[in-house]
C-alpha cells in the first residue's frame, strides 16, 4: 500500500495552488483529481468569462494575461492551469475519484477508483479541496430527465431560432438568457421570485436583461415554478394567480444552482453545519475538527444559497494550511473566513 505524508484531493484552482505550495515547502504529497484538472470550469458554457479580474484568480504568483486585457474566459483559464501544472511539474493523478476517507490507527486510509482499478493509500494528513459545485440542484418534476432538458448550456449556436425556456433568476440564468438571445434563440425566463434580484445580479448584466424583459424581447414568467416538462412544452404554475401556464419550448435550461458533495468530509467524521453542510474548521489553520484533516477552497462553504465563498477569497487558505503542516505560525492576515462573514 502506498503511503505518503499528505493526500490532496481536488485539482481545481485552489487544489493546484496548494500543490505548488506543498512542493515548494518540500512536503511529500499525493494529489488526486476525479476528472481532468480544472474540472469545474470544463462544464461552464464555452466562452464564459470569469467575473473576477485576472489578478484575483491568478495562482502561485504566476500572472494571468488575456489577449484583450479583459476578464479571462474559461478557455483562457484552463490553458493557464495546464501551463501552471507544466511549469511546476506537478504530478496529479487525474481521472481517479476518491471514494472514501477514513481515520485508521491515527492515520488516514484513502480509497480511490480509476476507470480500471481501485487503489488504497495511507497518509498522515489529508486536504479536501473538492469545491462547492459538485452537481446541479435537481428539479424534481416529471420530464426533467428528458433529452432536451439540461442544467448546462452548450454552444449558443445550437439554440439558434429555437424556443428556449431558461429556469432561474440569478447570474447563471441571466447570463445564459442574454447569450441565447444574442445567438438568435427565442428566450423565455421562468423565475420563482416576483422580480429579478437586481442587487445580486452582476452590474453589467442587470440593465441589459431588464431592458430586454421590458421590451418583451425576452418573455418573463415571474412568480412561476415548473411543474411538468413534456417534449414540446413546460407547465409553469403561477404562485401569483394560482393558474397553470403552458410555455412551448424546444430546449429547457435549468439554471437553479449547484450543490456541494460533502460525502468525504462526512465519512471522515467532520462536523457539517446546516444550512449547506459547511464543514467546521479552525480559520487560522483550516484544520477541521478531525485532527490532520484540512479543508481548502470553496469546499469550506458547502452548498451555498447566497455565494460568499469564491475562489478569489480562498487563496489565503494555502498559506494557512502549509504553515500548519510545516509547524509554522499561521500567516498574519489570518482571520475568520466563515461563509457568512466574507
Ligand atoms: C459560471 C461560473 C462562474 C464563476 N465565476 C467565478 C469568478 O469569477 N470568481 C470566483 O472566484 N469564482 C467563480 N466561480 C466559482 C468557481 O467555480 C470557483 O470559485 C472555483 O472553481 C473554486 O475553486 P476550487 O478549487 O475551490 O474548487 P473547484 O474548482 O470546484 O475544484 C474542485 C475539484 O475537486 C475535484 N473533486 C471533487 N470531489 C472529488 C473526489 N471525490 N475525488 C477527487 N477529486 C474530487 C473536482 O473534480 C474538482 O476538479 C464561478 C462558478 C461558476 C459556475
Amino acid at each position: 500500500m502506498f503511503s505518503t505524508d499528505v493526500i490532496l484531493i481536488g485539482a481545481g484552482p485552489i487544489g493546484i495552488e496548494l500543490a505548488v505550495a506543498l512542493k515548494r515547502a518540500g512536503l511529500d504529497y499525493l494529489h488526486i483529481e476525479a476528472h481532468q484538472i480544472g474540472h469545474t470550469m470544463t462544464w461552464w458554457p464555452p466562452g464564459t468569462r470569469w467575473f473576477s479580474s485576472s489578478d484575483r484568480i491568478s495562482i502561485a504568483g504566476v500572472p494571468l494575461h488575456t489577449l484583450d486585457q479583459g476578464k479571462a474566459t474559461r478557455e483562457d483559464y484552463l490553458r493557464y492551469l495546464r501551463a501552471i501544472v507544466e511549469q511546476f511539474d506537478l504530478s496529479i493523478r487525474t481521472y481517479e475519484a476518491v471514494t472514501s476517507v477514513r481515520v485508521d490507527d491515527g492515520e488516514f486510509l484513502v480509497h480511490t477508483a480509476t476507470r480500471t482499478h481501485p487503489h488504497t493509500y495511507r497518509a498522515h494528513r489529508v486536504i479536501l479541496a473538492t469545491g462547492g459545485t459538485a452537481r446541479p440542484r435537481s428539479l424534481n418534476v416529471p420530464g426533467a430527465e428528458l433529452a432536451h432538458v439540461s442544467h448546462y448550456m452548450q454552444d449558443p449556436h445550437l439554440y439558434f431560432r429555437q424556443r428556449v425556456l431558461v429556469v432561474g433568476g440569478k447570474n447563471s440564468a441571466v447570463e445564459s438568457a442574454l447569450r441565447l438571445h444574442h445567438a438568435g434563440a427565442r428566450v423565455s425566463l421562468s423565475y420563482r421570485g416576483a422580480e429579478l434580484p437586481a442587487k445580486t445580479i452582476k452590474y453589467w448584466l442587470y440593465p441589459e436583461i431588464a431592458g430586454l424583459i421590458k421590451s418583451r424581447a425576452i418573455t418573463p414568467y415571474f412568480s412561476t415554478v415548473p411543474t411538468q416538462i413534456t417534449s414540446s412544452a413546460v407547465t409553469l404554475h403561477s404562485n401569483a394567480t394560482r393558474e397553470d401556464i403552458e410555455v412551448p419550448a424546444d430546449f429547457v435550461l435549468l439554471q437553479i444552482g449547484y450543490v456541494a458533495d460533502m460525502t468525504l468530509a462526512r465519512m471522515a467524521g467532520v462536523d457539517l453545519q446546516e444550512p449547506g453542510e459547511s464543514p467546521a474548521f479552525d480559520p487560522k489553520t483550516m484544520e477541521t475538527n478531525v485532527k490532520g484533516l484540512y479543508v481548502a477552497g470553496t469546499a469550506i462553504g458547502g452548498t451555498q444559497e447566497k455565494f460568499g465563498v469564491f475562489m478569489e477569497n480562498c487563496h489565503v487558505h494555502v498559506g494557512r494550511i502549509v504553515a500548519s503542516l510545516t509547524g509554522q505560525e499561521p500567516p498574519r492576515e489570518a482571520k475568520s473566513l466563515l461563509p457568512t462573514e466574507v
Side-chain angles (χ1 to χ4, degrees):
M1 190 188 304
F2 184 87
S3 193
T4 184
D5 184 7
V6 181
I7 287 186
L8 168 59
I9 307 173
I14 295 298
I16 293 175
E17 189 164 35
L18 260 163
V20 174
L22 295 176
K23 193 164 182 179
R24 281 178 171 151
L27 288 160
D28 184 24
Y29 75 96
L30 185 74
H31 194 177
I32 307 174
E33 163 58 51
H35 304 276
Q36 184 48 275
I37 63 160
H39 172 68
T40 296
M41 275 61 69
T42 65
W43 51 255
W44 294 7
T48 300
R49 286 185 188 272
W50 288 78
F51 62 81
S52 302
S53 53
S54 294
D55 55 322
R56 303 192 125 218
I57 55 171
S58 63
I59 57 175
V62 179
L64 166 62
H65 287 278
T66 58
L67 274 181
D68 61 358
Q69 296 75 51
K71 292 181 174 169
T73 62
R74 94 181 177 143
E75 288 78 6
D76 290 328
Y77 200 72
L78 290 174
R79 190 167 57 229
Y80 172 75
L81 291 184
R82 294 196 298 273
I84 299 263
V85 169
E86 296 208 320
Q87 176 176 343
F88 292 95
D89 192 20
L90 301 178
S91 169
I92 306 174
R93 298 183 68 98
T94 52
Y95 299 107
E96 180 166 346
V98 176
T99 51
S100 76
V101 176
R102 293 190 195 280
V103 180
D104 179 65
D105 205 13
E107 286 189 333
F108 291 95
L109 200 56
V110 174
H111 291 283
T112 70
T114 64
R115 250 191 311 267
T116 51
H117 288 96
H119 295 276
T120 305
Y121 308 102
R122 277 193 172 273
H124 299 118
R125 283 85 69 90
V126 167
I127 308 169
L128 297 177
T130 44
T133 52
R135 57 178 177 274
R137 202 184 290 278
S138 12
L139 182 73
N140 293 316
V141 301
E145 71 296 340
L146 290 171
H148 68 302
V149 182
S150 176
H151 291 267
Y152 302 108
M153 189 175 97
Q154 309 293 314
D155 185 333
H157 174 75
L158 301 178
Y159 308 91
F160 174 62
R161 294 200 165 175
Q162 301 296 301
R163 296 165 302 183
V164 186
L165 177 72
V166 178
V167 179
K170 297 191 179 160
N171 281 303
S172 295
V174 168
E175 197 159 11
S176 297
L178 289 174
R179 291 186 67 185
L180 290 166
H181 167 77
H182 291 305
R186 293 172 191 135
V187 182
S188 309
L189 185 71
S190 162
Y191 180 51
R192 63 185 172 177
E195 56 186 28
L196 289 176
K199 284 193 182 141
T200 56
I201 294 176
K202 296 171 195 171
Y203 65 86
W204 61 92
L205 297 177
Y206 185 72
E208 190 177 15
I209 191 88
L212 290 170
I213 285 175
K214 196 169 174 201
S215 67
R216 288 296 190 265
I218 290 178
T219 312
Y221 293 95
F222 289 131
S223 302
T224 63
V225 287
T227 53
Q228 183 171 16
I229 305 175
T230 66
S231 53
S232 59
V234 180
T235 306
L236 299 178
H237 179 73
S238 167
N239 292 326
T241 64
R242 305 279 160 210
E243 285 170 359
D244 284 345
I245 309 159
E246 191 93 338
V247 179
D250 304 306
F251 288 96
V252 182
L253 201 52
L254 306 174
Q255 306 266 266
I256 51 176
Y258 303 94
V259 293
D261 184 348
M262 304 308 293
T263 310
L264 296 180
R266 194 180 313 109
M267 275 180 173
V270 176
D271 290 339
L272 299 176
Q273 302 150 351
E274 291 303 333
E277 295 195 306
S278 57
F281 64 92
D282 176 350
K284 288 199 178 80
T285 60
M286 309 307 293
E287 190 172 18
T288 64
N289 59 292
V290 178
K291 194 170 162 25
L293 183 66
Y294 295 77
V295 277
T298 49
I300 70 162
T303 297
Q304 301 183 62
E305 259 315 315
K306 286 187 184 161
F307 275 86
V309 182
F310 298 100
M311 177 208 160
E312 64 166 74
N313 54 23
C314 290
H315 300 291
V316 289
H317 304 174
V318 174
R320 294 173 191 178
I321 291 175
V322 173
S324 175
L325 295 176
T326 54
Q328 311 291 310
E329 280 294 305
R332 274 177 166 226
E333 89 296 334
K335 60 175 183 171
S336 175
L337 246 194
L338 293 174
T340 48
E341 294 177 311
V342 290

